[in-house]
Amino acid sequence: MKSETGILKEGRGMVRGVHLSRKRRKSVESFLWGGGVIFLVLAVWEICSNTGVINPMFSSSPSRIARTGLALIRDGSLWVHIKASGTIFILGYLMAIAAGIPLGVLMGWFKKAGLAFGPLVAACYTTPRIALMPLFIIWFGLGMGSKLALVFLSAVFPLIINMQTAVSNLDKDLVKVAAAYGATQRQVFFTIALPESIPYLMMGLRLATGRALLGIVGAEVFGGSEGLGYLIQYAGATFQTDKVFVCVLVIAAAGIFMDRGLYRLNKRFDGWRSRED
Amino acid sequence: MSQAVHPLERSGTASAIPKLSVNNLEIIFENPATGLRTEAVKGVNLDIRQGEFVSIVGLSGCGKTTFLNAIAGLVKPSAGSIKLDGKSVEGPGPDRTVVFQKPSLLPWRNVLSNVIYGLELRGVRKDEARERAAKYIKMVHLNGFEKHLPHQLSGGMQQRVNITRALVCEPEVLLLDEPFAALDAITRESMQNELLSLWENTGKTVLMVTHQIDEAVLLSDRVIVFSARPASILEEISIRLPRPRTPELRDNPRFDYLAKRIWELIHSTAEKKVNPEYEI
C-alpha cells in the first residue's frame, strides 16, 4: 500500500511539472503569434490611413482612435456613457440571475414544469430580442425601463436553459448511490444536483454576459440620450468614426474582462474535475 | 431447492432465525413503451445467517444484480418476500448498504466527506460521523488521504473509499455488487484480502455478486449459482475451506475442485438460449 501511494504522489508531481512548463511555453508562443498579427494589422491600417490609400474620415486610424479615446477620458464624457450603460447592464444581469437560475432549476427538477415551460422558453430563446424593442419602448418608455427589459430578456434564457440541462441530466450512478443510502429527494437535490450544476451555471453566466452586452448596445442604439450604444449611434450618424471605434473597443474590453473573470472563477470551483478532462 | 448444504457453523451460536430471508422472490420488469415483460428473477429462496459471507455467481445478465438491488430496496419485487431480522424490506434502509461496481464518489468531495456521505444522509451528527470515519479510514489504510479529491486517487483507492463509505454506516448486511470487477488483477487480489480481514474483524453479514469464480470461492462460506435468466438458484455450494483464508488457498486442490464445479454449473446454463426480452 505504502509504495503504491508513494508512486502515485511522485507521479502526479512530475506530470504536473511537465504540464505547467509546457503550458507556459505555449502561452508565450500564442502571445507572440497573436500579438504579432494584431500589431501588423494596426500598422497596415495606420500606414494606409496616413498615406491616403483609405479615407481616414470613413475608416479612422489607430493613432486617431487613441487620441480621441484619451480626449473622451479627459473630458469625462466617456465615463458618463460607461456609467449609464453599466448601470443598466448590471441591473438587468442581476435580474436575469435572480429569475433565470431558480426557473431553470425548477424546470430541470420537476419534469412537468420542464414540459410546460420548455416550448415557451425555446420560442423566446430563438426570437431575436432586439425585434421586440419597439414594443418595450411602447410599454416601458424610452428611459431605463425598455433597456432593462431587453438586457434582462437577453441574459435570462441562457441561464434558464443551462440550469435546466444541468439539473435534468444528473450522473445516474451518483443518484443511485444516494438512493441506496436512503436519500430523500431534497437530499439528492442539495448534495448532488446543486454541486453538479455549478459548471453549467458558470457556462450560463458567461453566455449571459455576451447576450446582455448585445442587449444593452442594441437597446441604446434604438433610442435614448446616453450610454455607449447611443454614443456609437450618434457618432456614426455624424461621421465621427474615431468615436465609434473607441466605444467598440470599450465594449469589447468589458466583454473580454468579464468572460475571463468568469472563466477563472469556474476554474476555481471546478478544481474537483480531473485535469485530464 | 437443494437443502443438502449446510452453512458453516462458524460462530457456534446458530440461531434459528436467519439474518436475511428471501422467499419465493420474483421480479418482472415491464417496458411501458412496448409492453414487453422481462422475467429477471423467478422463485428464489435463500436464507443467510448472521455473519455469513455468501456469494452469488452466474452468467452476466442473468439477474443477479437485480436480485441484489431488490435486497437493497432499490427494486420492488413482483412477488415473494425479503425479510431482514424478520422485518419485511420495503425500501433502502440503514440496515443495508450497497457497494456498486463503479466507485461513484461525489467528485467535488474529498475522501473524508465522501466517506461520511451515507452517514450525513442518515442524519448522523458531523463530529460523530467524522469520528467513525476516522476509524474505518485507518482500517482500509486511507489515512493521510482524507483531503484528497477522487480524481487524485487510483482506481483501487477510489473503490476502497466506496467500500469505506458503506462500512462506516455499520450496516447489518453489506451488499457488494461486483465490487472488484473494474480493477486490475493485482489490485483486485489485494482488495480481496483486505475485504477478508475487514469481514473477519467486523463479523458483518455479506452478500456479494460476482462473476469471478475464484473470488467467490476464496471469500465465501457459501456460493449460490444462479441459472440463466430468469434467475433461479441452480445450486448452493458450501465452501468448507479453513479460515482465515489466504491467497495461498488457491493452491489447495479442494479450491480447484470447487472452482471447477461452479464453472461447470454456470456453463451448463449457458447452453440454453438466452432471450433478452420475451413476451409472457
Side-chain angles (χ1 to χ4, degrees):
Chain A
M1 203 101 16
K2 283 238 170 66
S3 71
E4 185 197 333
T5 58
I7 288 167
L8 193 81
K9 262 188 174 165
E10 207 179 339
R12 278 200 60 78
M14 277 164 60
V15 168
R16 200 180 287 172
V18 170
H19 194 64
L20 263 188
S21 73
R22 193 184 296 157
K23 208 166 145 188
R24 205 169 297 142
R25 212 180 313 138
K26 246 188 180 168
S27 80
V28 168
E29 203 180 318
S30 81
F31 179 78
L32 285 179
W33 279 104
V37 167
I38 288 172
F39 180 78
L40 201 70
V41 169
L42 290 179
V44 170
W45 186 3
E46 184 70 41
I47 291 164
C48 286
S49 176
N50 283 351
T51 52
V53 177
I54 51 174
N55 187 344
M57 175 145 163
F58 295 123
S59 62
S60 189
S61 75
S63 60
R64 279 163 164 252
I65 296 166
R67 241 175 290 135
T68 311
L70 280 175
L72 283 174
I73 291 168
R74 253 186 232 123
D75 71 6
S77 59
L78 187 63
W79 176 240
V80 171
H81 292 292
I82 288 177
K83 212 168 94 182
S85 298
T87 308
I88 295 171
F89 173 86
I90 291 169
L91 273 179
Y93 193 66
L94 289 178
M95 277 164 60
I97 290 174
I101 294 174
L103 210 63
V105 168
L106 232 58
M107 284 171 62
W109 189 250
F110 299 105
K111 295 284 168 285
K112 290 241 166 70
L115 285 176
F117 292 106
L120 181 66
V121 166
C124 292
Y125 185 58
T126 47
T127 310
R129 254 62 41 106
I130 190 78
L132 300 172
M133 197 54 193
L135 289 176
F136 294 155
I137 291 175
I138 294 170
W139 295 339
F140 308 113
L142 258 175
M144 205 162 158
S146 57
K147 294 173 192 163
L148 210 53
L150 191 69
V151 172
F152 169 76
L153 280 184
S154 301
V156 79
F157 291 108
L159 287 168
I160 293 178
I161 289 171
N162 265 44
M163 289 316 284
Q164 185 192 5
T165 310
V167 174
S168 59
N169 292 301
L170 299 178
D171 185 329
K172 290 205 173 56
D173 289 320
L174 296 186
V175 174
K176 194 167 84 173
V177 165
Y181 284 99
T184 60
Q185 282 293 95
R186 209 184 118 88
Q187 285 176 320
V188 173
F189 181 78
F190 282 107
T191 62
I192 293 176
L194 278 193
E196 224 188 301
S197 54
I198 282 175
Y200 287 85
L201 169 65
M202 299 312 284
M203 179 49 84
L205 287 175
R206 283 174 73 187
L207 284 171
T209 316
R211 302 289 177 126
L213 273 180
L214 216 66
I216 182 69
V217 174
E220 287 169 348
V221 164
F222 236 92
S225 54
E226 54 179 4
L228 289 169
Y230 159 76
L231 192 57
I232 287 175
Q233 195 270 341
Y234 174 77
T238 50
F239 279 88
Q240 304 179 63
T241 46
D242 318 334
K243 269 191 185 172
V244 174
F245 274 113
V246 170
C247 294
V248 169
L249 281 176
V250 168
I251 293 163
I256 292 169
F257 176 74
M258 286 185 286
D259 192 65
R260 295 314 296 177
L262 286 168
Y263 179 76
R264 290 262 167 90
L265 201 64
N266 184 30
K267 279 258 152 151
R268 175 172 293 187
F269 279 128
D270 222 16
W272 48 267
R273 254 167 226 276
S274 62
R275 262 157 259 272
E276 284 77 49
D277 287 358
Chain B
M1 217 49 39
S2 98
Q3 289 298 316
V5 250
H6 240 262
L8 267 174
E9 304 289 329
R10 223 159 26 84
S11 57
T13 54
S15 65
I17 307 164
K19 188 82 198 165
L20 185 76
S21 174
V22 178
N23 276 302
N24 242 327
L25 191 74
E26 196 170 299
I27 299 166
I28 298 169
F29 292 118
E30 192 170 330
N31 185 335
T34 59
L36 282 177
R37 282 153 63 92
T38 311
E39 263 188 313
V41 177
K42 194 180 184 181
V44 171
N45 290 294
L46 180 65
D47 282 353
I48 298 175
R49 298 176 337 133
Q50 165 72 43
E52 202 179 4
F53 196 126
V54 176
S55 292
I56 296 171
V57 296
L59 288 173
S60 76
C62 77
K64 49 192 195 296
T65 291
T66 306
F67 178 77
L68 194 90
N69 282 340
I71 291 172
L74 296 170
V75 170
K76 277 234 155 15
S78 311
S81 70
I82 302 165
K83 283 185 176 149
L84 206 157
D85 284 325
K87 272 187 295 177
S88 189
V89 164
E90 303 289 354
D95 44 11
R96 287 148 292 142
T97 50
V98 201
V99 175
F100 296 106
Q101 179 182 335
K102 278 199 230 161
S104 300
L105 306 175
L106 308 196
W108 49 85
R109 287 182 171 225
N110 63 28
V111 168
L112 180 65
S113 347
N114 262 297
V115 167
I116 64 172
Y117 182 57
L119 293 174
E120 195 183 304
L121 291 178
R122 285 164 185 185
V124 176
R125 280 204 346 269
K126 263 248 158 78
D127 46 341
E128 192 199 328
R130 274 161 200 260
E131 215 169 283
R132 276 165 72 175
K135 183 178 127 196
Y136 283 95
I137 284 174
K138 212 166 185 179
M139 220 189 267
V140 295
H141 313 288
L142 276 170
N143 39 332
F145 289 90
E146 289 90 342
K147 291 265 145 45
H148 280 60
L149 287 168
H151 76 83
Q152 297 171 310
L153 304 177
S154 66
M157 290 170 84
Q158 287 183 17
Q159 192 59 337
R160 215 175 286 151
V161 176
N162 187 16
I163 292 171
T164 315
R165 176 170 64 184
L167 283 174
V168 77
C169 293
E170 298 184 337
E172 297 287 326
V173 180
L174 184 63
L175 303 168
L176 305 169
D177 185 9
E178 304 192 19
F180 311 132
L183 304 176
D184 63 273
I186 294 166
T187 312
R188 188 190 306 142
E189 208 168 296
S190 80
M191 295 284 291
Q192 287 167 353
N193 296 333
E194 236 173 90
L195 178 64
L196 265 175
S197 68
L198 278 171
W199 174 73
E200 272 150 17
N201 289 336
T202 56
K204 292 271 169 258
T205 310
V206 178
L207 180 62
M208 177 173 78
V209 162
T210 180
H211 54 237
Q212 298 265 321
I213 296 170
D214 60 335
E215 179 174 284
V217 174
L218 181 69
L219 302 176
S220 316
D221 294 321
R222 199 153 42 116
V223 175
I224 316 290
V225 183
F226 268 23
S227 69
R229 188 151 61 183
S232 58
I233 295 179
L234 209 65
E235 195 149 336
E236 305 185 11
I237 296 173
S238 256
I239 309 296
R240 294 206 176 89
L241 291 170
R243 298 245 182 217
R245 306 260 173 93
T246 54
E248 289 73 52
L249 209 63
R250 291 175 205 268
D251 304 329
N252 187 321
R254 176 134 187 94
F255 185 99
D256 267 347
Y257 166 77
L258 288 165
K260 194 150 180 265
R261 176 87 196 289
I262 294 166
W263 191 88
E264 280 165 0
L265 275 166
I266 294 174
H267 279 257
S268 73
T269 73
E271 316 289 293
K272 286 192 248 160
K273 202 170 159 93
V274 185
N275 289 325
E277 271 190 333
Y278 57 92
E279 275 174 279
I280 298 170

